Amino acid sequence: AQRVTQPEKLLSVFKGAPVELKCNYSYSGSPELFWYVQYSRQRLQLLLRHISRESIKGFTADLNKGETSFHLKKPFAQEEDSAMYYCALGVYAGNMLTFGGGTRLMVKP
Amino acid sequence: DTAVSQTPKYLVTQMGNDKSIKCEQNLGHDTMYWYKQDSKKFLKIMFSYNNKELIINETVPNRFSPKSPDKAHLNLHINSLELGDSAVYFCASSQDLVGEQFFGPGTRLTVL
């Protein structure tokens, strides 16, 4: 069965500092990885997916199959990045997502 | 313009009751889902429903049943509610079986 692990429940950084939210997965098939974000009082929304290889709001994530990781990175954190971030693994049967436990990012001024 | 909506937002009920949560999407999507978020913020897929095909996460008790009156709706029925069913339930939809999922605002269920 697939599994997604986000080892940090809380990550606190200062504005302008680099940030890396860790995500590791286990899955025997070909993975499709996503990062979802939930800002305060807003619904969960897609931030980026590995197949699109794009940078959203300055965030990037690279799929490393050797290390089974999909860490989310941003070189200079902003206060508006403060939110709950979820890493998710998609399986083709039913497009059902397996989520990690989430990491709360707090960016301090 | 709410894309995915859920009602009610909050639901408080007694153990043993039967309750339903409604979900509607106005995006014209073909696939809808239900997720459960527990007190530790873990999000778990419960169901995926596409073109009358239901895929069930094997860990979901059969007290939970999704019902889709039409493509825009996927309601969640829960029979014989238990304390452990207390959670936030999220509905989501996607264009197809590989598309981005759009989430509803969630329904907080509390079983007393």
Side-chain angles (χ1 to χ4, degrees):
Chain A
Q2 59 273 11
R3 187 182 180 94
V4 178
T5 304
Q6 293 178 249
E8 303 136 329
K9 284 193 183 304
L10 173 65
L11 185 61
S12 183
V13 301
F14 284 101
K15 177 182 172 182
V19 64
E20 181 180 48
L21 290 86
K22 291 184 166 49
C23 172
N24 288 90
Y25 67 91
S26 63
Y27 180 52
S28 56
S30 183
E32 185 167 3
L33 277 299
F34 306 83
W35 276 98
Y36 277 79
V37 60
Q38 189 170 28
Y39 300 102
S40 179
R41 302 183 193 283
Q42 294 186 30
R43 60 189 65 196
L44 198 63
Q45 56 189 289
L46 179 67
L47 179 63
L48 53 81
R49 57 198 305 176
H50 89 271
I51 58 171
S52 60
R53 294 180 176 272
E54 54 188 353
S55 172
I56 306 293
K57 299 184 179 183
F59 284 97
T60 58
D62 291 318
L63 178 60
N64 185 323
K65 291 186 179 181
E67 295 182 0
T68 60
S69 68
F70 188 56
H71 303 326
L72 184 68
K73 300 177 185 179
K74 184 168 182 175
F76 308 104
Q78 303 299 315
E79 289 180 69
E80 55 266 29
D81 296 329
S82 296
M84 193 78 179
Y85 291 80
Y86 291 93
C87 182
L89 170 70
V91 295
Y92 291 110
N95 196 27
M96 300 204 289
L97 296 175
T98 297
F99 283 87
T103 298
R104 181 168 297 283
L105 174 64
M106 290 179 56
V107 182
K108 296 177 286 189
Chain B
D1 260 17
T2 304
V4 183
S5 59
Q6 295 178 228
T7 53
K9 194 171 180 181
Y10 300 96
L11 182 56
V12 181
T13 188
Q14 301 284 333
M15 261 174 48
N17 284 351
D18 303 337
K19 289 292 179 185
S20 296
I21 305 172
K22 294 186 177 180
C23 176
E24 177 181 1
Q25 54 95 2
N26 62 7
L27 298 166
H29 286 171
D30 288 337
T31 310
M32 296 183 74
Y33 314 83
W34 277 104
Y35 290 85
K36 177 183 179 181
Q37 184 179 47
D38 63 24
S39 57
K40 296 184 179 178
K41 301 291 187 184
F42 280 98
L43 264 166
K44 289 184 182 176
I45 181 70
M46 301 178 72
F47 306 100
S48 164
Y49 193 87
N50 172 270
N51 194 24
K52 300 186 181 180
E53 182 187 5
L54 176 66
I55 300 178
I56 304 171
N57 185 321
E58 59 191 11
T59 65
V60 175
N62 57 15
R63 297 181 296 103
F64 290 79
S65 57
K67 288 188 170 41
S68 180
D70 54 58
K71 207 172 77 163
H73 297 83
L74 185 67
N75 304 324
L76 182 65
H77 295 268
I78 316 171
N79 294 326
S80 303
L81 278 155
E82 301 178 357
L83 293 176
D85 298 333
S86 295
V88 180
Y89 291 84
F90 288 95
C91 177
S93 73
S94 63
Q95 181 62 57
D96 48 35
L97 283 171
V98 295
E100 173 186 351
Q101 293 185 26
F102 293 81
F103 283 77
T107 295
R108 182 174 293 278
L109 170 66
T110 303
V111 182
L112 303 174

